[in-house]
Amino acid sequence: MQLEQKEDQAQFKLKNASASIKERRRRGLTWYPVTITQEDIGFGGKVVLELERPAHRQDLHLFQVGKNACVFSSAPGYSGPDRPVLSGVVTSVRRNKLVLATTKEELPDWVLNASTQNGSTLGIDLTFDEVSYREMHQGMNDVIGAHGNHLAELRDVLLGARQARYREPQADDLFYPSALNDSQIAAVQHVIAAQDVAIIHGPPGTGKTTTLVQAILETIRRERRVLVCAPSNTAVDLLTEKLAERGVNVIRMGNPSRVSELLLKHTLDAGVMVHPSYAKMHAMRQTAEQHRDTANERVSHFGFEERQHRQWLREEARTLRQAADDLERFMTEDVLESVQVITCTLVGASHRHMRHLSFETVFIDEAAQALEPGCWIPIAKGQRLVLAGDHHQLPPTVKSEQAAREGLRETLFEKCIQRQPQTARMLTTQYRMHEQIMGFSSEKFYGGQLVPHASVRHAGLEAYDLRFAPDLPVEFIDTAGCGYQEVAIPESRSTANPEEAHLLLERLAQLLAPYDAAEHDEQQHTPLSIGVIAPYRAQINYFKDAIEDSEVLNGLLLQRRLSVGTVDSFQGQERDIIAITLTRSNPQGEIGFLSDIRRMNVGMTRARRKLLLVGDSSTLCRHPFFGELLAYVKGVGGYRTALTVVR
């Protein structure tokens, strides 16, 4: 963990140390200039600022909810490493506006001065996130020191030193009506029967989220309150929405990354605002603000009585703010005591409002993508643990290669499932892919246990529109012998293969020739969705430029029916057509991180109706995985050489 923190911090500093405002802005780390469009008092009496950048500035950026950031001034005298900054946390981002919850009760003079000048000199920078590492270190220390308590028992079960325990499932265990299949029901019963640890193993398209929500519903029938976590804000938001749709009284701790009406209703702020005591607290804060403003007013005559009166006003404001804070704490605790489910990120489980709370059961979704130190934060709050995920899909992101080699990339999910296989129940019916798209992944990663549901078994492109017939659900176009050599881009340490990209786009345009999007819209069909995946950023950039030259493909891109990205950007998503360029083509047979076969598993299983692969077999097949993949494609009749594709 220390290696990872050191590397993360070094990368952040390297990017920012000598970078100008213009360069930081280009990298997405800075908004400049910004103006303060609104100032409020938030929880704990801290100042909350709404900041806006010029409407014409549409630079891509990395600001998102939950990130640490600081306001700075570019005015003379405020530059250099010792410049004053106003730190805080981003709580909302919408196009050209963001909201920053600061750590101060009053704005510093330099901020007020900079914001009133003609042409604002204020900007906002993303800062390094120390909080997450601090909480993960604390979580590790807690579990290392645990002895004779529930945390020690869970640790020993998860690490294989103690056997997981289960009671016998009962026929009447399940209460909530649902349309779950047999493997999903078995997984929910397994969760109910677990006395310490249960794992829901959900391969692509098998309804893991649906099953997990059902397991949570059954659990809150038996327990007063449960904690539900995930490593990403997006995953937490999804679970919150699904639970709210089922009528669960759920509170989303932290700030949702997807700003939707439904999510906002289930934030802690919203729960506090509908509390009977909220109006009283709000009135206290308003009066405190009025007293503070009056005490700060400039007057021409300033004698002893005025000084005494101002002192009294400031004391009253301080007393009222303290009373409002106490009332806010009471309301917050009251809201959290009454809910059935609290949802948050792993680090969010350390939130100050949750420190006194404990739970019988803790659920962690996407656990196979979660760093182990992060998982221990919520685990320490529970007596029972339920993990959900799939260790054959994307692993957690680890910046330090040394930390990855020494074990940080190995997750708690993997450790438990390897050491105690009986803790897991795998979902086996998949509802996403044509059986030929599913077949290779099932055999290679899931022991051949996946079964396509009848609704998707033969649902290729011709099932969507007969004009696509005859078509192959899985197709591999082999560029071996064509001379399509990869090109290294030294500046970005990336790789491209323009000729292979061009071939893929030609085949995609050829494939879509019978498709009339407007006609399908008129007939109220679900629009066809297409994803183009490349393993390297340089190849993605080439695709984006090339697509602009294709009237058909560019039209689909503008309509958001076609998207281009890395495997990581498609995690958790699906498309009717997935086209993957494997890019690597060299005499040495080097394939780089294509050798991480879990990435290929994710990429291929995003496809519902059609999987199109383009690559150089002479390079790829030096790795056994791609040799097996090619043999499978040949077995289902989907192999073609580039020479047979119309050019």
Side-chain angles (χ1 to χ4, degrees), residues 275-292:
H275 194 280
S277 298
Y278 178 78
K280 182 179 178 181
M281 183 204 73
H282 187 63
M284 284 179 179
R285 290 237 164 96
Q286 278 190 318
T287 306
E289 283 299 299
Q290 289 166 1
H291 284 351
R292 190 186 72 172

Side-chain angles (χ1 to χ4, degrees), residues 431-445:
Y431 298 85
R432 176 184 297 164
M433 297 162 270
H434 187 286
E435 63 179 354
Q436 288 186 10
I437 298 172
M438 177 205 77
F440 180 73
S441 181
S442 177
E443 290 297 329
K444 184 67 182 174
F445 295 97

Side-chain angles (χ1 to χ4, degrees), residues 22 37 110-111 217 260 289 435 439 515 554 580:
K22 184 178 180 181
T37 52
W110 64 266
V111 173
L217 288 172
S260 70
E289 283 299 299
E435 63 179 354
Y515 174 62
N554 195 44
I580 304 177

Side-chain angles (χ1 to χ4, degrees), residues 360-372:
E360 189 172 331
T361 304
V362 171
F363 291 84
I364 299 179
D365 192 17
E366 303 293 1
Q369 276 192 282
L371 292 175
E372 180 182 332

Side-chain angles (χ1 to χ4, degrees), residues 62-367:
L62 300 175
F63 286 84
Q64 59 182 345
V65 171
K67 291 281 190 182
N68 290 356
C70 68
V71 176
F72 66 90
S73 172
S74 66
Y78 292 115
S79 59
D82 298 324
R83 69 181 185 182
V85 294
L86 176 62
S87 298
V89 176
V90 177
T91 61
S92 171
V93 182
R94 295 188 185 182
R95 295 192 68 180
N96 293 312
K97 288 187 178 182
L98 65 78
V99 176
L100 185 77
T102 77
T103 57
K104 300 291 185 183
E105 294 184 3
E106 293 185 12
L107 285 181
D109 289 341
W110 64 266
V111 173
L112 295 170
N113 294 337
S115 62
T116 56
Q117 294 172 356
N118 290 331
S120 174
T121 60
L122 290 179
I124 183 167
D125 276 334
L126 280 174
T127 56
F128 184 71
D129 184 9
E130 294 276 3
V131 176
S132 295
Y133 285 104
R134 187 171 68 239
E135 296 299 341
M136 285 193 279
H137 280 299
Q138 184 59 52
M140 293 295 288
N141 288 332
D142 288 345
V143 74
I144 288 167
H147 179 73
N149 57 14
H150 286 296
L151 181 56
E153 290 179 12
L154 281 174
R155 174 195 63 206
D156 292 347
V157 171
L158 286 163
L159 302 181
R162 183 197 296 255
Q163 281 295 304
R165 300 164 299 158
Y166 301 87
R167 64 173 179 78
E168 283 297 317
Q170 304 298 313
D172 60 349
D173 264 349
L174 304 187
F175 172 79
Y176 284 94
S178 70
L180 299 187
N181 61 49
D182 290 346
S183 68
Q184 291 171 329
I185 290 170
V188 175
Q189 287 176 324
H190 183 61
V191 168
I192 301 305
Q195 293 180 272
D196 30 46
V197 175
I199 293 177
I200 299 174
H201 179 193
T206 55
K208 173 182 62 70
T209 301
T210 300
T211 308
L212 184 60
V213 167
Q214 194 70 26
I216 294 167
L217 288 172
E218 294 293 344
T219 303
I220 58 177
R221 256 189 80 217
R222 298 158 172 80
E223 301 171 17
R224 188 167 71 86
R225 182 181 57 215
V226 302
L227 177 61
V228 177
C229 301
S232 70
N233 277 297
T234 305
V236 177
D237 291 347
L238 177 62
L239 283 169
T240 305
E241 285 182 354
K242 296 292 184 186
L243 289 165
E245 287 168 1
R246 297 294 295 269
V248 175
N249 183 1
V250 55
I251 285 288
R252 163 67 157 104
M253 297 296 289
N255 293 281
S257 57
R258 297 200 307 245
V259 183
S260 70
E261 190 100 12
L262 183 60
L263 276 178
L264 289 175
K265 273 171 53 183
H266 293 281
T267 58
L268 182 60
D269 292 25
V272 168
M273 286 176 72
V274 297
H275 194 280
S277 298
Y278 178 78
K280 182 179 178 181
M281 183 204 73
H282 187 63
M284 284 179 179
R285 290 237 164 96
Q286 278 190 318
T287 306
E289 283 299 299
Q290 289 166 1
H291 284 351
R292 190 186 72 172
D293 291 344
T294 304
N296 291 335
E297 282 178 0
R298 293 184 178 180
V299 293
S300 53
H301 300 291
F302 196 75
F304 176 76
E305 288 184 6
E306 285 82 1
R307 188 175 290 108
Q308 289 289 94
H309 183 59
R310 285 179 182 233
Q311 184 62 32
W312 178 83
L313 285 171
R314 290 193 177 99
E315 288 294 329
E316 277 293 295
R318 195 173 295 112
T319 302
L320 283 168
R321 275 202 305 268
Q322 184 60 54
D325 289 350
D326 292 342
L327 185 54
E328 181 186 46
R329 273 190 292 275
F330 162 75
M331 289 190 296
T332 300
E333 289 176 11
D334 198 31
V335 168
L336 294 178
E337 281 296 320
S338 65
V339 300
Q340 295 171 291
V341 177
I342 296 175
T343 62
C344 61
T345 60
L346 301 174
V347 174
S350 64
H351 195 285
R352 60 193 174 94
H353 292 312
M354 289 176 59
R355 285 190 180 135
H356 66 291
L357 299 179
S358 60
F359 304 84
E360 189 172 331
T361 304
V362 171
F363 291 84
I364 299 179
D365 192 17
E366 303 293 1

Side-chain angles (χ1 to χ4, degrees), residues 417-435:
I417 212 168
Q418 286 166 6
R419 294 169 190 180
Q420 299 210 50
Q422 79 280 11
T423 58
R425 291 291 181 274
M426 190 171 83
L427 310 180
T428 56
T429 303
Q430 70 84 17
Y431 298 85
R432 176 184 297 164
M433 297 162 270
H434 187 286
E435 63 179 354

